[in-house]
Amino acid sequence: MSVDELRAGLAKIAEAVVPDPDPYERLLRHARRRRRRRFAGFAATVAAVLAAALAGPALSPAGLHHRADDLPLGHGHRIDSPWSWRLINSPTRGSLAGDEAFVAEVARLFDHGRDEVRMAADLPKVKVLYADESAGFRQVVLAYHSATAAALVTREGPAGASPARLLRGDGQSNGRVEPFNLLTATSGMPGAQKQWLLGLAPAGCRISLGRAAYAGQSGLRRQWQAQPTDGYLLVEQAASDGWWRVECDGQVRQEGPMWFAETDRAGNADETYPDDGRWAPTAEPPNPTVARQAGQVYQALARQAGLVDAARPAIRWSGRLDAQGGEAVLLATQDREGPTLLLTGDTGAGPLLALATDQDPAPTDPAPAPAGPLRPPLVATGYGPADDLLAVRVPVRDGDRAVLGGQLLVVPCKGVTRIEAVADGAVRASAPVAGGAALLALPVGSVVMLRGLDRNGAVRCYGPLLERASGERVFNEPLVSNW
């Protein structure tokens, strides 16, 4: 799984117009569609080309693999990372790895049957990386490689499937070989199918799962459970809330969401519409499109994080940040410190999620620009300094992506007239509260104490600004790709 694909999957929504509006569901639907239909290296001919969250090479479910002799042969992708070579040189893993005859026959048939999987002869070596039947279906992952390039080929079939049947089965060809690959598979008959995730890293690495996260005073707390398998893990997608962590040679190399949360578990639109808990309500109610859109994204990201007891969020502020940006809402947890989310823009188009600053590297493989004439709203996430003082970065546009900008939106409890950012006894920034919020000009990563003062100068609320200076994050929890 590449960091660029992770960026693109978290940051982009597939379509421009929300019919009902449910932007996160459309992102998920198109992410799943790309995994199921993707023929890597031939993406221009594949429908719904979307860089998906954690999307390394992916498997196709039953019925979507086609023998297409007019498809080009795959020539692989250049391998520059020693970690990718370490994966290729790892021993075969999985429950069938000890069946030497089966593994050898898979390698032989897939080598001779290159036309079936559309792989070219300039990747002369074939290595079985994974062979497994532990979940009640048979799955193989192979690497075709030369001295400089490689590609993944994956196939799946029913339990007991022969190597010949697997060769004719469903899967992917010419996938990139990343140090950590997230692969999907489908088992069972139509109507009773299960979706599976396979995380595959080099042998000797340790994969841990942090399925549950808890809101603490300074950020999300997550308990990691190391898995007993050697550098790989197969899990059912329905139970994939939470994050992966991959450690190799004593260092965390990969850390991030396991999968996009399924929004059908969020219920209907009324159940995802946030409560109106504004501390300084105005005569105008929040824009319903903006509030509903923000509520759906908030709850989906909370489930993706594995946030325990992620109740329906509350609207703490609504209004306009500027004349051009459209209406905005700030969401937060109901009664305590916790994740915050700001959505700005009221077009109803699919929003862009700001993960990092404009000083952080831009994706080298960005997702396509949204279709349609409507301008996408922007989303930023953060973590509240206190239960009566909230702060979140205002997202801004940087080409086709959203980034965290130099303005901080601060929403205090009722009665506060001014916000100050204090460090080492000096006020670094200040702004009046207007319409229930203040906008501070403050660089990302500033180490300050935020405090809200009433008209008499008395401090009514305060809390430390909780944010990272650089790197990508969701609810201030860092995404790691350190290969």
Side-chain angles (χ1 to χ4, degrees):
M1 176 183 61
S2 72
V3 66
D4 287 336
E5 288 178 312
L6 175 59
R7 287 187 181 112
L10 284 169
K12 285 285 186 177
I13 303 292
E15 294 173 85
V17 180
V18 183
D20 179 42
D22 191 353
Y24 209 86
E25 173 57 28
R26 289 182 296 105
L27 183 147
L28 301 173
R29 183 173 66 247
H30 283 258
R32 292 193 293 268
R33 186 181 304 163
R34 182 175 189 251
R35 287 187 177 90
R36 293 170 181 171
R37 302 180 64 186
R38 175 180 173 189
F39 184 91
F42 197 56
T45 67
V46 180
V49 180
L50 175 68
L54 306 180
L59 293 176
S60 302
L64 289 181
H65 168 63
H66 304 286
R67 294 186 61 184
D69 294 336
D70 57 341
L71 288 178
L73 294 177
H75 297 275
H77 311 271
R78 184 173 181 82
I79 300 294
D80 296 315
S81 169
W83 290 102
S84 294
W85 284 119
R86 182 164 160 178
L87 171 62
I88 292 171
N89 293 324
S90 295
T92 304
R93 286 163 290 166
S95 65
L96 298 175
D99 189 339
E100 296 180 1
F102 172 78
V103 171
E105 183 65 4
V106 168
R108 187 188 71 81
L109 279 182
F110 276 68
D111 189 9
H112 289 284
R114 289 170 176 266
D115 285 346
E116 187 72 43
V117 294
R118 307 306 296 156
M119 292 306 302
D122 56 2
L123 299 175
K125 297 183 179 181
V126 180
K127 171 73 177 296
V128 180
L129 301 181
Y130 178 80
D132 186 82
E133 199 175 72
S134 63
F137 70 101
R138 189 160 280 193
Q139 181 181 12
V140 293
V141 180
L142 300 93
Y144 289 67
H145 68 95
S146 65
T148 58
L152 283 183
V153 168
T154 62
R155 289 295 181 265
E156 62 190 77
S162 66
R165 182 167 181 177
L166 290 171
L167 182 65
R168 300 188 300 270
D170 301 305
Q172 176 220 351
S173 296
N174 202 42
R176 292 186 180 276
V177 183
E178 304 288 354
F180 179 62
N181 302 272
L182 184 66
L183 310 168
T184 67
T186 302
S187 68
M189 300 298 293
Q193 292 181 325
K194 291 183 178 181
Q195 304 294 324
W196 299 88
L197 301 177
L198 171 65
L200 186 62
C205 295
R206 182 175 66 176
I207 294 180
S208 300
L209 296 183
R211 291 190 179 276
Y214 303 85
Q217 280 193 325
S218 59
L220 295 181
R221 296 180 290 107
R222 191 178 296 279
Q223 293 181 341
W224 296 97
Q225 294 181 330
Q227 304 302 303
T229 45
D230 180 14
Y232 73 92
L233 185 64
L234 182 68
V235 297
E236 190 175 350
Q237 184 178 321
S240 61
D241 292 352
W243 283 32
W244 302 94
R245 171 182 281 177
V246 183
E247 297 173 87
C248 306
D249 298 344
Q251 294 187 41
V252 175
R253 301 291 181 178
Q254 191 85 34
E255 192 171 299
M258 294 177 65
W259 190 253
F260 275 124
E262 296 290 341
T263 54
D264 54 13
R265 284 183 284 162
N268 59 42
D270 290 338
E271 292 174 342
T272 58
Y273 195 91
D275 295 329
D276 188 353
R278 293 176 295 167
W279 289 324
T282 60
E284 291 291 327
N287 181 298
T289 296
V290 179
R292 181 176 292 111
Q293 202 171 39
Q296 290 165 343
V297 175
Y298 184 104
Q299 291 200 35
L301 288 174
R303 285 194 310 278
Q304 176 184 286
L307 188 62
V308 175
D309 298 328
R312 182 162 56 180
I315 300 173
R316 292 304 186 199
W317 174 84
S318 66
R320 287 184 175 271
L321 295 170
D322 55 56
Q324 293 78 36
E327 295 193 50
V329 296
L330 174 68
L331 304 186
T333 54
Q334 293 278 0
D335 301 313
R336 50 184 167 78
E337 300 93 337
T340 58
L341 182 144
L342 174 66
L343 187 145
T344 175
D346 53 11
T347 64
L352 304 179
L353 175 62
L355 297 170
T357 74
D358 60 359
Q359 300 302 307
D360 290 298
T364 58
D365 183 22
L374 298 182
R375 200 178 197 199
L378 306 180
V379 173
T381 64
Y383 203 88
D387 58 6
D388 56 358
L389 179 69
L390 304 176
V392 65
R393 283 286 155 188
V394 176
V396 296
R397 300 179 195 277
D398 181 38
D400 290 333
R401 65 171 178 161
V403 296
L404 303 172
Q407 283 189 310
L408 185 74
L409 178 70
V410 183
V411 178
C413 60
K414 190 175 181 180
V416 171
T417 61
R418 189 166 195 82
I419 298 295
E420 294 181 342
V422 180
D424 299 325
V427 176
R428 304 298 184 186
S430 67
V433 175
L439 277 175
L440 294 182
L442 200 64
V444 178
S446 297
V447 181
V448 297
M449 178 68 71
L450 299 174
R451 63 187 188 186
L453 287 71
D454 63 18
R455 66 183 60 202
N456 298 317
V459 176
R460 297 287 297 273
C461 54
Y462 63 93
L465 177 60
L466 305 172
E467 64 175 3
R468 300 177 181 276
S470 62
E472 297 175 329
R473 77 295 302 267
V474 178
F475 295 138
N476 209 38
E477 191 172 15
L479 303 172
V480 177
S481 184
N482 179 32
W483 295 101

